[in-house]
Amino acid sequence: MRELILAIESSCDETSVAVVADGAKILSNVIASQIKSHQRFGGIVPEVASRHHVEEITICIEEALEEAQVEVADLSAVAVTQGPGLVGALLIGIAAAKSFAWAHDLPLIPVNHMAGHIYAARFVKPLIFPLMALLVSGGHTELVYMAEDGSFEIIGETRDDAAGEAYDKVGRVLGLKYPSGKEIDELAHQGQDTYHFPRAMIHDPHFDFSFSGLKSSFINFVHNAEQRGETLVKEDLAASFQASVIDVLVNKTIRACQEYPVKQLIVAGGVAANQGLRSALTAAVAKELSDVEVIFPPLKLCGDNAAMIGAAAHVELKKQHLAQMDLNANPSLVFPNKD
């Protein structure tokens, strides 16, 4: 009998519900985006996000079941993002998941949102352990070593701004719409790295990241040029900024994979959709890590979605890591230390 998990994701500004079979097949993946609602503010407003989740969550559940062509009686469990994320947004998804699980007497599975991003790669091909995961998103930049299914060890993380945060702040200075990562990526491919922004901690022996200095350097450079009346080339600014981010990410990731005995490298999170990063990492892995396979989730699964939560929940269900009805949101949830 196949395992069917109804998965709910509401950690930020996407309301999503999916039905996933055996942790590897997407039967439905409904996503209600809020981007247009937040664009006028230049970023995510938590209260606006929460209100949208309230409006969309039951509709998404109904659509996901209908699209998957399954009945509630066919489901094996309900999974939900416990954290990290916006506490108000998380609570709405958790309340919906608990209500659904209780009403239909189904097991409830709490899922770490970042684990979900990693397991989005499982829809491409089976994961082979040990592996390394580079997580790059709006709120996180981490290198995670996985010795086996469900085992996570952070070996490097950002000490300040995440890569995605830096993209959005730089996009604001360039006058781009939120979220601006995709547009910066497109502009970067039309320009050259002529401004040579700093590559923070690129030669340090550890695997931590820092993008706050790059962001500040970029902003100060643009403001100083404006005060002097100089005209800067937007495409070259984007290319120079992106080259700095990519150089650091690629350098640290390749070194981490050389130090740890890994068979696969998974690149996941919203910034994993960046074409510049995909190209640079693919080339670097081919040159430096001939025995390591690099996997990028499909573009539609790089952003927040419930299918990835269902894939991660498959592992948690096998381990019987279930929750009771007192499950609460954990907006600062982190990976547990390696056993």
Side-chain angles (χ1 to χ4, degrees), residues 28 35 46 48 83 92 96 141 147 154 158 164 167-168 170 175 188 193 205 214 227 252 256 261 280 285 307 314 338:
S28 63
I35 288 178
V48 173
I92 292 159
T141 302
I154 295 178
T158 185
Y167 267 91
D168 287 334
V170 162
D193 179 13
L214 168 61
Q227 290 171 355
K252 298 263 186 180
V285 169
H314 168 74
K338 185 183 177 187

Side-chain angles (χ1 to χ4, degrees), residues 1-262:
M1 182 177 177
R2 65 177 178 170
E3 171 197 281
L4 294 176
I5 293 179
L6 178 77
I8 296 174
E9 154 63 25
S10 68
S11 64
C12 194
D13 62 339
E14 310 281 5
T15 309
S16 182
V17 181
V19 177
V20 177
D22 301 317
K25 184 177 181 181
I26 301 173
L27 301 186
S28 63
N29 191 25
V30 177
I31 303 173
S33 176
Q34 304 177 12
I35 288 178
K36 290 184 178 179
S37 296
H38 297 282
Q39 275 182 340
R40 65 182 184 272
F41 302 110
I44 297 168
V45 179
E47 176 64 20
V48 173
S50 297
R51 289 178 181 273
H52 276 286
H53 288 310
V54 171
E55 294 169 359
E56 298 289 346
I57 192 73
T58 54
I59 298 172
C60 289
I61 291 173
E62 292 170 359
E63 288 185 4
L65 289 170
E66 182 178 350
E67 185 179 321
Q69 296 184 331
V70 300
E71 301 294 330
V72 173
D74 300 325
L75 296 175
S76 307
V78 179
V80 64
T81 302
Q82 183 183 13
L86 303 174
V87 64
L90 288 166
L91 284 170
I92 292 159
I94 289 173
K98 288 198 292 188
S99 299
F100 194 96
W102 180 82
H104 301 290
D105 196 25
L106 290 167
L108 178 64
I109 310 168
V111 175
N112 184 311
H113 178 81
M114 304 314 295
H117 275 303
I118 294 174
Y119 277 94
R122 197 157 184 260
F123 296 118
V124 178
K125 56 180 58 181
L127 305 188
I128 302 174
F129 301 94
L131 63 79
M132 187 71 67
L134 172 64
L135 287 171
V136 273
S137 68
H140 295 78
T141 302
E142 301 169 349
L143 279 166
V144 182
Y145 175 69
M146 295 182 64
E148 60 184 12
D149 247 343
S151 170
F152 308 94
E153 179 187 6
I154 295 178
I155 65 166
E157 60 188 332
T158 185
R159 297 183 180 181
D160 40 60
D161 286 3
E165 286 178 287
Y167 267 91
D168 287 334
K169 291 172 182 175
V170 162
R172 203 170 300 150
V173 174
L174 291 175
L176 307 179
K177 287 184 179 180
Y178 170 87
S180 49
K182 182 179 180 181
E183 195 168 352
I184 290 176
D185 187 23
E186 292 171 350
L187 287 171
H189 282 80
Q190 303 168 35
Q192 301 292 326
D193 179 13
T194 58
Y195 299 119
H196 307 298
F197 293 115
R199 273 73 167 159
M201 302 193 300
I202 192 170
H203 298 300
D204 291 359
H206 56 71
F207 300 117
D208 284 351
F209 303 93
S210 172
F211 296 105
S212 180
L214 168 61
K215 173 204 66 180
S216 298
S217 177
F218 183 95
I219 293 172
N220 290 336
F221 182 79
V222 172
H223 286 173
N224 289 339
E226 289 175 348
Q227 290 171 355
R228 292 192 299 267
E230 295 179 10
T231 300
L232 301 175
V233 180
K234 183 178 289 189
E235 291 81 2
D236 289 347
L237 283 171
S240 299
F241 165 76
Q242 179 153 294
S244 177
V245 174
I246 289 176
D247 281 354
V248 173
L249 291 175
V250 171
N251 181 282
K252 298 263 186 180
T253 301
I254 294 297
R255 286 199 292 109
C257 290
Q258 290 171 335
E259 184 166 321
Y260 286 76
V262 300

